[in-house]
Amino acid sequence: MWFTTVSISDDKLAKRLKHEGIRAGEIIAYRAWRVIDPGSFSSGDDRLHSVFMQDYVWYPDEPASGDVRTHGIYSFRQVIRSMIEYGYAPEVDEPLLFGKVKIWGEVVEHDAGYRSQFGKIVSLDYGDPELLEKFRKIYRVSPVLL
């Protein structure tokens, strides 16, 4: 018996998914955040930003959110500790911080990780030590190293 497989992009698949009514708890995943450098063209701030969604800000006291059918909150299954492990944004010249995020709501699973409806920073573990200290205080998180 022969089977033919059809390749569908993750975005097209997410748009076609029907909610099956299955609910699960939070998932702990990994991601990177961009730090806006006060010395760059834009003025720096005390918030972490999405690496790709230029204007998306992660606020300390509210969950990040997005529509999984368009962009959602991206995170990885495996820990990432550096730009090399992140592997996606060679054009980013601002510092990145790496850590854990809990995700929930609608979640679409991909080969490398997830796209979720909601996310909240759990820990900031890797990156510039001074920036880690500063943003751990702002987001009220501790390092949770593996």
Side-chain angles (χ1 to χ4, degrees), residues 67-131:
D67 182 346
V68 298
R69 287 170 176 75
T70 57
H71 59 82
I73 305 301
Y74 282 86
S75 55
F76 295 92
R77 217 179 262 127
Q78 301 295 321
V79 65
I80 50 173
R81 296 173 284 258
S82 67
M83 179 66 96
I84 293 169
E85 288 181 11
Y86 187 72
Y88 285 114
E91 71 281 351
V92 173
D93 57 357
E94 288 136 340
L96 296 183
L97 297 181
F98 304 90
K100 290 183 183 174
V101 61
K102 65 181 175 180
I103 59 172
W104 70 95
E106 287 186 70
V107 177
V108 176
E109 189 169 2
H110 297 287
D111 288 338
Y114 311 95
R115 181 170 28 182
S116 62
Q117 183 178 9
F118 299 106
K120 182 87 172 144
I121 297 172
V122 173
S123 68
L124 296 169
D125 304 318
Y126 303 99
D128 178 273
E130 289 180 23
L131 291 174

Short mmCIF file of all heavy atoms in Angstrom, two decimals, residues 67-131:
data_model
loop_
_atom_site.label_atom_id
_atom_site.label_comp_id
_atom_site.label_asym_id
_atom_site.label_seq_id
_atom_site.Cartn_x
_atom_site.Cartn_y
_atom_site.Cartn_z
N ASP A 67 -3.01 35.99 18.13
CA ASP A 67 -3.90 35.07 17.43
C ASP A 67 -3.05 34.00 16.77
O ASP A 67 -2.24 34.31 15.89
CB ASP A 67 -4.71 35.85 16.39
CG ASP A 67 -5.70 34.99 15.64
OD1 ASP A 67 -5.62 33.74 15.70
OD2 ASP A 67 -6.57 35.56 14.96
N VAL A 68 -3.22 32.75 17.16
CA VAL A 68 -2.38 31.68 16.62
C VAL A 68 -2.56 31.47 15.13
O VAL A 68 -1.72 30.87 14.48
CB VAL A 68 -2.59 30.33 17.36
CG1 VAL A 68 -2.20 30.45 18.81
CG2 VAL A 68 -4.01 29.82 17.21
N ARG A 69 -3.62 31.98 14.57
CA ARG A 69 -3.83 31.83 13.13
C ARG A 69 -3.06 32.86 12.31
O ARG A 69 -2.96 32.73 11.10
CB ARG A 69 -5.32 31.88 12.82
CG ARG A 69 -6.02 30.61 13.27
CD ARG A 69 -7.53 30.72 13.20
NE ARG A 69 -8.17 29.46 13.54
CZ ARG A 69 -8.28 28.95 14.75
NH1 ARG A 69 -7.75 29.59 15.77
NH2 ARG A 69 -8.88 27.81 14.96
N THR A 70 -2.54 33.89 12.98
CA THR A 70 -1.76 34.89 12.25
C THR A 70 -0.32 34.95 12.72
O THR A 70 0.59 34.89 11.92
CB THR A 70 -2.41 36.30 12.38
OG1 THR A 70 -2.53 36.63 13.76
CG2 THR A 70 -3.75 36.33 11.69
N HIS A 71 -0.10 35.10 14.03
CA HIS A 71 1.29 35.10 14.51
C HIS A 71 1.42 34.42 15.87
O HIS A 71 2.27 33.58 16.03
CB HIS A 71 1.89 36.52 14.54
CG HIS A 71 1.15 37.48 15.40
ND1 HIS A 71 1.34 37.56 16.75
CD2 HIS A 71 0.21 38.40 15.09
CE1 HIS A 71 0.55 38.49 17.24
NE2 HIS A 71 -0.14 39.02 16.27
N GLY A 72 0.64 34.73 16.82
CA GLY A 72 0.72 34.08 18.13
C GLY A 72 2.02 34.38 18.85
O GLY A 72 2.82 35.21 18.44
N ILE A 73 2.23 33.68 19.95
CA ILE A 73 3.43 33.81 20.76
C ILE A 73 4.31 32.60 20.44
O ILE A 73 3.98 31.47 20.79
CB ILE A 73 3.08 33.83 22.27
CG1 ILE A 73 2.07 34.93 22.59
CG2 ILE A 73 4.34 33.94 23.11
CD1 ILE A 73 2.52 36.33 22.22
N TYR A 74 5.42 32.84 19.76
CA TYR A 74 6.31 31.75 19.37
C TYR A 74 7.24 31.37 20.51
O TYR A 74 7.73 32.23 21.23
CB TYR A 74 7.16 32.17 18.16
CG TYR A 74 6.41 32.09 16.86
CD1 TYR A 74 5.63 33.15 16.42
CD2 TYR A 74 6.48 30.94 16.07
CE1 TYR A 74 4.94 33.08 15.23
CE2 TYR A 74 5.79 30.87 14.88
CZ TYR A 74 5.02 31.94 14.46
OH TYR A 74 4.34 31.87 13.29
N SER A 75 7.47 30.08 20.67
CA SER A 75 8.42 29.58 21.65
C SER A 75 8.97 28.25 21.17
O SER A 75 8.43 27.63 20.27
CB SER A 75 7.76 29.45 23.02
OG SER A 75 6.60 28.65 22.94
N PHE A 76 10.05 27.83 21.80
CA PHE A 76 10.76 26.62 21.39
C PHE A 76 10.57 25.50 22.39
O PHE A 76 10.38 25.73 23.58
CB PHE A 76 12.27 26.91 21.26
CG PHE A 76 12.60 27.88 20.17
CD1 PHE A 76 12.68 29.24 20.43
CD2 PHE A 76 12.82 27.44 18.88
CE1 PHE A 76 12.98 30.14 19.43
CE2 PHE A 76 13.12 28.33 17.86
CZ PHE A 76 13.20 29.68 18.15
N ARG A 77 10.69 24.28 21.90
CA ARG A 77 10.61 23.09 22.74
C ARG A 77 11.90 22.89 23.54
O ARG A 77 11.87 22.46 24.67
CB ARG A 77 10.40 21.88 21.83
CG ARG A 77 9.51 20.85 22.40
CD ARG A 77 9.32 19.69 21.44
NE ARG A 77 8.08 19.87 20.73
CZ ARG A 77 7.94 19.87 19.42
NH1 ARG A 77 8.96 19.67 18.64
NH2 ARG A 77 6.77 20.05 18.87
N GLN A 78 13.03 23.20 22.92
CA GLN A 78 14.34 23.01 23.55
C GLN A 78 14.89 24.34 24.05
O GLN A 78 14.63 25.38 23.45
CB GLN A 78 15.33 22.41 22.54
CG GLN A 78 14.90 21.07 21.97
CD GLN A 78 14.85 19.98 23.02
OE1 GLN A 78 15.70 19.93 23.90
NE2 GLN A 78 13.83 19.15 22.95
N VAL A 79 15.69 24.28 25.10
CA VAL A 79 16.30 25.48 25.67
C VAL A 79 17.20 26.16 24.62
O VAL A 79 17.84 25.49 23.82
CB VAL A 79 17.09 25.16 26.95
CG1 VAL A 79 18.28 24.27 26.68
CG2 VAL A 79 17.51 26.43 27.66
N ILE A 80 17.17 27.48 24.60
CA ILE A 80 18.07 28.27 23.76
C ILE A 80 18.82 29.23 24.67
O ILE A 80 18.24 29.84 25.55
CB ILE A 80 17.32 29.02 22.63
CG1 ILE A 80 16.12 29.79 23.18
CG2 ILE A 80 16.89 28.08 21.53
CD1 ILE A 80 15.45 30.68 22.17
N ARG A 81 20.14 29.31 24.46
CA ARG A 81 20.97 30.09 25.35
C ARG A 81 21.77 31.18 24.64
O ARG A 81 22.46 31.95 25.29
CB ARG A 81 21.95 29.16 26.07
CG ARG A 81 21.30 28.16 26.98
CD ARG A 81 22.34 27.19 27.51
NE ARG A 81 22.70 26.24 26.48
CZ ARG A 81 22.26 24.99 26.41
NH1 ARG A 81 21.46 24.53 27.35
NH2 ARG A 81 22.61 24.19 25.44
N SER A 82 21.68 31.21 23.32
CA SER A 82 22.51 32.17 22.58
C SER A 82 21.89 32.45 21.22
O SER A 82 20.99 31.74 20.76
CB SER A 82 23.91 31.60 22.39
OG SER A 82 23.86 30.48 21.52
N MET A 83 22.43 33.48 20.57
CA MET A 83 21.97 33.83 19.22
C MET A 83 22.22 32.66 18.26
O MET A 83 21.40 32.39 17.38
CB MET A 83 22.70 35.09 18.74
CG MET A 83 22.30 35.50 17.36
SD MET A 83 20.59 36.03 17.24
CE MET A 83 20.81 37.76 17.40
N ILE A 84 23.31 31.95 18.45
CA ILE A 84 23.62 30.81 17.57
C ILE A 84 22.55 29.73 17.72
O ILE A 84 22.06 29.20 16.72
CB ILE A 84 25.02 30.25 17.87
CG1 ILE A 84 26.08 31.28 17.47
CG2 ILE A 84 25.25 28.93 17.16
CD1 ILE A 84 27.47 30.98 17.95
N GLU A 85 22.17 29.41 18.94
CA GLU A 85 21.13 28.40 19.15
C GLU A 85 19.77 28.91 18.68
O GLU A 85 18.95 28.14 18.21
CB GLU A 85 21.05 28.01 20.64
CG GLU A 85 22.22 27.18 21.09
CD GLU A 85 22.12 26.78 22.55
OE1 GLU A 85 21.05 26.96 23.18
OE2 GLU A 85 23.13 26.30 23.08
N TYR A 86 19.54 30.21 18.81
CA TYR A 86 18.28 30.80 18.34
C TYR A 86 18.19 30.66 16.83
O TYR A 86 17.17 30.22 16.31
CB TYR A 86 18.22 32.27 18.77
CG TYR A 86 16.90 32.96 18.49
CD1 TYR A 86 15.78 32.65 19.23
CD2 TYR A 86 16.79 33.90 17.49
CE1 TYR A 86 14.57 33.28 18.99
CE2 TYR A 86 15.59 34.53 17.24
CZ TYR A 86 14.49 34.21 17.99
OH TYR A 86 13.30 34.83 17.73
N GLY A 87 19.25 31.04 16.14
CA GLY A 87 19.41 30.74 14.74
C GLY A 87 18.49 31.40 13.73
O GLY A 87 18.45 31.01 12.59
N TYR A 88 17.72 32.42 14.11
CA TYR A 88 16.75 32.97 13.18
C TYR A 88 16.92 34.42 12.81
O TYR A 88 16.32 34.86 11.87
CB TYR A 88 15.33 32.81 13.73
CG TYR A 88 14.81 31.41 13.65
CD1 TYR A 88 14.56 30.69 14.80
CD2 TYR A 88 14.58 30.80 12.44
CE1 TYR A 88 14.09 29.40 14.74
CE2 TYR A 88 14.11 29.51 12.37
CZ TYR A 88 13.87 28.81 13.52
OH TYR A 88 13.40 27.54 13.45
N ALA A 89 17.65 35.18 13.56
CA ALA A 89 17.61 36.63 13.36
C ALA A 89 19.01 37.23 13.22
O ALA A 89 19.43 38.01 14.06
CB ALA A 89 16.86 37.29 14.49
N PRO A 90 19.72 36.90 12.17
CA PRO A 90 21.07 37.46 12.02
C PRO A 90 21.08 38.97 11.86
O PRO A 90 22.07 39.62 12.16
CB PRO A 90 21.62 36.77 10.78
CG PRO A 90 20.42 36.32 10.03
CD PRO A 90 19.34 36.06 11.05
N GLU A 91 19.96 39.56 11.46
CA GLU A 91 19.90 41.00 11.26
C GLU A 91 19.66 41.76 12.57
O GLU A 91 19.76 42.97 12.62
CB GLU A 91 18.82 41.36 10.24
CG GLU A 91 17.40 41.17 10.72
CD GLU A 91 16.90 39.73 10.70
OE1 GLU A 91 17.60 38.86 10.15
OE2 GLU A 91 15.82 39.48 11.24
N VAL A 92 19.34 41.07 13.65
CA VAL A 92 19.10 41.72 14.93
C VAL A 92 20.44 42.09 15.55
O VAL A 92 21.29 41.24 15.75
CB VAL A 92 18.32 40.79 15.89
CG1 VAL A 92 18.21 41.40 17.27
CG2 VAL A 92 16.94 40.49 15.33
N ASP A 93 20.62 43.39 15.81
CA ASP A 93 21.89 43.81 16.41
C ASP A 93 21.73 44.25 17.85
O ASP A 93 22.69 44.61 18.51
CB ASP A 93 22.55 44.90 15.57
CG ASP A 93 21.66 46.11 15.37
OD1 ASP A 93 20.51 46.10 15.84
OD2 ASP A 93 22.12 47.08 14.74
N GLU A 94 20.51 44.22 18.37
CA GLU A 94 20.29 44.54 19.77
C GLU A 94 20.53 43.29 20.62
O GLU A 94 20.43 42.17 20.13
CB GLU A 94 18.86 45.04 19.98
CG GLU A 94 18.64 46.42 19.40
CD GLU A 94 17.35 46.52 18.63
OE1 GLU A 94 16.79 45.50 18.21
OE2 GLU A 94 16.91 47.63 18.42
N PRO A 95 20.84 43.48 21.90
CA PRO A 95 21.06 42.31 22.76
C PRO A 95 19.79 41.48 22.90
O PRO A 95 18.68 42.00 22.88
CB PRO A 95 21.46 42.92 24.10
CG PRO A 95 21.60 44.38 23.90
CD PRO A 95 21.02 44.74 22.58
N LEU A 96 19.98 40.18 23.05
CA LEU A 96 18.88 39.27 23.30
C LEU A 96 19.05 38.65 24.68
O LEU A 96 20.17 38.39 25.12
CB LEU A 96 18.83 38.14 22.26
CG LEU A 96 18.58 38.52 20.81
CD1 LEU A 96 18.50 37.27 19.95
CD2 LEU A 96 17.32 39.35 20.66
N LEU A 97 17.94 38.42 25.35
CA LEU A 97 17.91 37.66 26.58
C LEU A 97 17.12 36.38 26.32
O LEU A 97 16.18 36.38 25.51
CB LEU A 97 17.27 38.45 27.72
CG LEU A 97 18.00 39.72 28.14
CD1 LEU A 97 17.26 40.39 29.30
CD2 LEU A 97 19.45 39.44 28.51
N PHE A 98 17.48 35.31 27.00
CA PHE A 98 16.88 34.00 26.75
C PHE A 98 16.35 33.43 28.06
O PHE A 98 16.97 33.60 29.11
CB PHE A 98 17.92 33.04 26.17
CG PHE A 98 18.57 33.56 24.92
CD1 PHE A 98 19.72 34.33 24.99
CD2 PHE A 98 18.01 33.31 23.68
CE1 PHE A 98 20.32 34.82 23.84
CE2 PHE A 98 18.60 33.80 22.52
CZ PHE A 98 19.75 34.57 22.61
N GLY A 99 15.19 32.78 27.99
CA GLY A 99 14.64 32.20 29.20
C GLY A 99 13.43 31.34 28.92
O GLY A 99 13.19 30.91 27.79
N LYS A 100 12.66 31.12 29.99
CA LYS A 100 11.48 30.26 29.91
C LYS A 100 10.22 31.10 29.90
O LYS A 100 10.15 32.18 30.50
CB LYS A 100 11.42 29.33 31.12
CG LYS A 100 12.47 28.27 31.12
CD LYS A 100 12.28 27.37 32.32
CE LYS A 100 13.38 26.34 32.37
NZ LYS A 100 13.31 25.55 33.61
N VAL A 101 9.20 30.56 29.25
CA VAL A 101 7.89 31.19 29.20
C VAL A 101 6.84 30.10 29.40
O VAL A 101 7.01 28.97 28.95
CB VAL A 101 7.70 31.94 27.84
CG1 VAL A 101 7.78 31.01 26.66
CG2 VAL A 101 6.43 32.73 27.81
N LYS A 102 5.79 30.43 30.14
CA LYS A 102 4.67 29.49 30.21
C LYS A 102 3.67 29.94 29.15
O LYS A 102 3.44 31.13 28.96
CB LYS A 102 4.05 29.41 31.60
CG LYS A 102 3.39 30.66 32.10
CD LYS A 102 2.84 30.45 33.50
CE LYS A 102 2.30 31.75 34.05
NZ LYS A 102 1.76 31.60 35.40
N ILE A 103 3.13 28.97 28.44
CA ILE A 103 2.18 29.29 27.37
C ILE A 103 0.88 28.54 27.62
O ILE A 103 0.86 27.48 28.23
CB ILE A 103 2.77 28.94 25.98
CG1 ILE A 103 3.13 27.47 25.88
CG2 ILE A 103 3.97 29.84 25.68
CD1 ILE A 103 3.54 27.02 24.48
N TRP A 104 -0.22 29.12 27.14
CA TRP A 104 -1.52 28.50 27.33
C TRP A 104 -2.51 29.08 26.32
O TRP A 104 -2.17 29.89 25.50
CB TRP A 104 -2.00 28.67 28.76
CG TRP A 104 -2.39 30.04 29.16
CD1 TRP A 104 -3.65 30.58 29.14
CD2 TRP A 104 -1.53 31.08 29.65
NE1 TRP A 104 -3.62 31.89 29.59
CE2 TRP A 104 -2.34 32.22 29.91
CE3 TRP A 104 -0.16 31.18 29.88
CZ2 TRP A 104 -1.82 33.41 30.40
CZ3 TRP A 104 0.35 32.37 30.38
CH2 TRP A 104 -0.46 33.47 30.63
N GLY A 105 -3.76 28.64 26.45
CA GLY A 105 -4.80 29.04 25.49
C GLY A 105 -4.73 28.12 24.29
O GLY A 105 -4.38 26.95 24.40
N GLU A 106 -5.04 28.64 23.11
CA GLU A 106 -4.88 27.85 21.90
C GLU A 106 -3.39 27.70 21.63
O GLU A 106 -2.65 28.68 21.68
CB GLU A 106 -5.55 28.53 20.71
CG GLU A 106 -7.05 28.47 20.73
CD GLU A 106 -7.62 29.03 19.44
OE1 GLU A 106 -7.46 28.38 18.39
OE2 GLU A 106 -8.21 30.11 19.50
N VAL A 107 -2.94 26.49 21.35
CA VAL A 107 -1.53 26.23 21.09
C VAL A 107 -1.42 25.39 19.82
O VAL A 107 -2.08 24.36 19.69
CB VAL A 107 -0.86 25.48 22.26
CG1 VAL A 107 0.58 25.16 21.94
CG2 VAL A 107 -0.96 26.30 23.54
N VAL A 108 -0.60 25.85 18.89
CA VAL A 108 -0.30 25.10 17.67
C VAL A 108 1.13 24.61 17.81
O VAL A 108 2.04 25.40 18.06
CB VAL A 108 -0.45 25.98 16.40
CG1 VAL A 108 -0.04 25.21 15.16
CG2 VAL A 108 -1.87 26.49 16.28
N GLU A 109 1.33 23.31 17.67
CA GLU A 109 2.66 22.74 17.81
C GLU A 109 3.34 22.69 16.45
O GLU A 109 2.73 22.34 15.44
CB GLU A 109 2.55 21.33 18.40
CG GLU A 109 3.88 20.75 18.79
CD GLU A 109 3.73 19.49 19.60
OE1 GLU A 109 2.58 19.04 19.85
OE2 GLU A 109 4.77 18.94 19.99
N HIS A 110 4.63 23.06 16.42
CA HIS A 110 5.44 23.03 15.21
C HIS A 110 6.63 22.10 15.44
O HIS A 110 6.82 21.61 16.55
CB HIS A 110 5.96 24.43 14.87
CG HIS A 110 4.88 25.41 14.56
ND1 HIS A 110 4.16 25.39 13.40
CD2 HIS A 110 4.38 26.45 15.29
CE1 HIS A 110 3.27 26.37 13.40
NE2 HIS A 110 3.38 27.02 14.54
N ASP A 111 7.44 21.89 14.42
CA ASP A 111 8.60 21.02 14.56
C ASP A 111 9.53 21.47 15.69
O ASP A 111 9.99 20.67 16.47
CB ASP A 111 9.41 20.98 13.26
CG ASP A 111 8.70 20.19 12.17
OD1 ASP A 111 7.82 19.36 12.51
OD2 ASP A 111 9.02 20.39 10.99
N ALA A 112 9.82 22.76 15.76
CA ALA A 112 10.78 23.27 16.75
C ALA A 112 10.12 23.77 18.03
O ALA A 112 10.80 24.01 19.01
CB ALA A 112 11.61 24.39 16.14
N GLY A 113 8.80 23.95 18.03
CA GLY A 113 8.18 24.50 19.22
C GLY A 113 6.71 24.76 19.07
O GLY A 113 5.97 23.93 18.52
N TYR A 114 6.28 25.94 19.50
CA TYR A 114 4.86 26.24 19.61
C TYR A 114 4.54 27.65 19.15
O TYR A 114 5.39 28.53 19.14
CB TYR A 114 4.43 26.13 21.08
CG TYR A 114 4.88 24.89 21.77
CD1 TYR A 114 6.05 24.87 22.52
CD2 TYR A 114 4.14 23.72 21.68
CE1 TYR A 114 6.47 23.72 23.16
CE2 TYR A 114 4.55 22.57 22.32
CZ TYR A 114 5.72 22.57 23.05
OH TYR A 114 6.14 21.43 23.69
N ARG A 115 3.27 27.84 18.85
CA ARG A 115 2.69 29.16 18.65
C ARG A 115 1.45 29.16 19.53
O ARG A 115 0.56 28.34 19.37
CB ARG A 115 2.33 29.34 17.17
CG ARG A 115 1.76 30.67 16.87
CD ARG A 115 1.60 30.96 15.41
NE ARG A 115 1.41 29.82 14.56
CZ ARG A 115 1.29 29.88 13.25
NH1 ARG A 115 1.34 31.04 12.65
NH2 ARG A 115 1.13 28.81 12.52
N SER A 116 1.42 30.07 20.50
CA SER A 116 0.34 30.03 21.50
C SER A 116 -0.44 31.34 21.54
O SER A 116 0.01 32.37 21.06
CB SER A 116 0.91 29.73 22.89
OG SER A 116 1.80 30.76 23.28
N GLN A 117 -1.60 31.25 22.14
CA GLN A 117 -2.47 32.41 22.30
C GLN A 117 -1.95 33.34 23.40
O GLN A 117 -2.02 34.55 23.28
CB GLN A 117 -3.88 31.93 22.63
CG GLN A 117 -4.91 33.02 22.75
CD GLN A 117 -6.29 32.46 23.04
OE1 GLN A 117 -6.45 31.26 23.30
NE2 GLN A 117 -7.29 33.31 23.00
N PHE A 118 -1.42 32.75 24.49
CA PHE A 118 -0.94 33.54 25.62
C PHE A 118 0.44 33.06 26.06
O PHE A 118 0.77 31.89 25.89
CB PHE A 118 -1.90 33.44 26.81
CG PHE A 118 -3.26 33.94 26.53
CD1 PHE A 118 -4.31 33.06 26.37
CD2 PHE A 118 -3.52 35.31 26.43
CE1 PHE A 118 -5.60 33.52 26.10
CE2 PHE A 118 -4.80 35.77 26.15
CZ PHE A 118 -5.84 34.88 26.00
N GLY A 119 1.21 33.96 26.65
CA GLY A 119 2.51 33.61 27.20
C GLY A 119 2.88 34.55 28.33
O GLY A 119 2.46 35.71 28.35
N LYS A 120 3.65 34.05 29.27
CA LYS A 120 4.11 34.85 30.41
C LYS A 120 5.54 34.42 30.74
O LYS A 120 5.85 33.24 30.79
CB LYS A 120 3.20 34.62 31.62
CG LYS A 120 3.54 35.42 32.83
CD LYS A 120 2.87 36.76 32.79
CE LYS A 120 3.05 37.48 34.12
NZ LYS A 120 3.23 38.88 33.99
N ILE A 121 6.41 35.39 30.95
CA ILE A 121 7.80 35.11 31.27
C ILE A 121 7.89 34.43 32.63
O ILE A 121 7.32 34.91 33.61
CB ILE A 121 8.64 36.40 31.26
CG1 ILE A 121 8.63 37.02 29.85
CG2 ILE A 121 10.07 36.12 31.72
CD1 ILE A 121 9.27 38.41 29.78
N VAL A 122 8.60 33.29 32.68
CA VAL A 122 8.80 32.54 33.91
C VAL A 122 10.20 32.80 34.47
O VAL A 122 10.39 32.93 35.67
CB VAL A 122 8.62 31.03 33.66
CG1 VAL A 122 8.98 30.22 34.88
CG2 VAL A 122 7.20 30.73 33.22
N SER A 123 11.20 32.84 33.58
CA SER A 123 12.56 33.09 34.03
C SER A 123 13.38 33.71 32.90
O SER A 123 13.07 33.52 31.73
CB SER A 123 13.24 31.80 34.52
OG SER A 123 13.46 30.91 33.45
N LEU A 124 14.41 34.43 33.29
CA LEU A 124 15.39 34.98 32.36
C LEU A 124 16.72 34.36 32.77
O LEU A 124 17.21 34.61 33.87
CB LEU A 124 15.42 36.50 32.44
CG LEU A 124 14.13 37.19 32.01
CD1 LEU A 124 14.15 38.67 32.39
CD2 LEU A 124 13.90 37.01 30.52
N ASP A 125 17.29 33.54 31.88
CA ASP A 125 18.41 32.69 32.28
C ASP A 125 19.74 32.97 31.60
O ASP A 125 20.79 32.69 32.18
CB ASP A 125 18.04 31.23 32.02
CG ASP A 125 16.75 30.84 32.73
OD1 ASP A 125 16.57 31.24 33.89
OD2 ASP A 125 15.92 30.15 32.11
N TYR A 126 19.72 33.46 30.37
CA TYR A 126 20.96 33.61 29.60
C TYR A 126 20.99 34.96 28.90
O TYR A 126 19.97 35.47 28.48
CB TYR A 126 21.08 32.49 28.55
CG TYR A 126 21.03 31.12 29.16
CD1 TYR A 126 19.86 30.39 29.15
CD2 TYR A 126 22.15 30.56 29.76
CE1 TYR A 126 19.80 29.12 29.70
CE2 TYR A 126 22.11 29.30 30.32
CZ TYR A 126 20.92 28.59 30.29
OH TYR A 126 20.87 27.34 30.86
N GLY A 127 22.19 35.50 28.78
CA GLY A 127 22.38 36.78 28.11
C GLY A 127 23.35 37.63 28.91
O GLY A 127 24.02 37.15 29.83
N ASP A 128 23.42 38.89 28.58
CA ASP A 128 24.30 39.83 29.26
C ASP A 128 23.94 39.88 30.76
O ASP A 128 22.78 40.15 31.10
CB ASP A 128 24.14 41.22 28.64
CG ASP A 128 24.97 42.27 29.33
OD1 ASP A 128 24.48 42.85 30.33
OD2 ASP A 128 26.10 42.50 28.88
N PRO A 129 24.91 39.64 31.66
CA PRO A 129 24.61 39.58 33.10
C PRO A 129 23.96 40.85 33.66
O PRO A 129 23.05 40.77 34.50
CB PRO A 129 25.98 39.34 33.75
CG PRO A 129 26.80 38.69 32.67
CD PRO A 129 26.31 39.28 31.38
N GLU A 130 24.40 42.01 33.22
CA GLU A 130 23.80 43.26 33.72
C GLU A 130 22.35 43.41 33.26
O GLU A 130 21.48 43.83 34.02
CB GLU A 130 24.62 44.46 33.26
CG GLU A 130 25.95 44.57 33.97
CD GLU A 130 26.76 45.78 33.50
OE1 GLU A 130 26.16 46.76 32.98
OE2 GLU A 130 27.99 45.75 33.65
N LEU A 131 22.10 43.07 32.00
CA LEU A 131 20.73 43.14 31.49
C LEU A 131 19.83 42.11 32.18
O LEU A 131 18.68 42.38 32.49
CB LEU A 131 20.70 42.96 29.98
CG LEU A 131 21.30 44.10 29.16
CD1 LEU A 131 21.36 43.73 27.68
CD2 LEU A 131 20.52 45.38 29.37
#
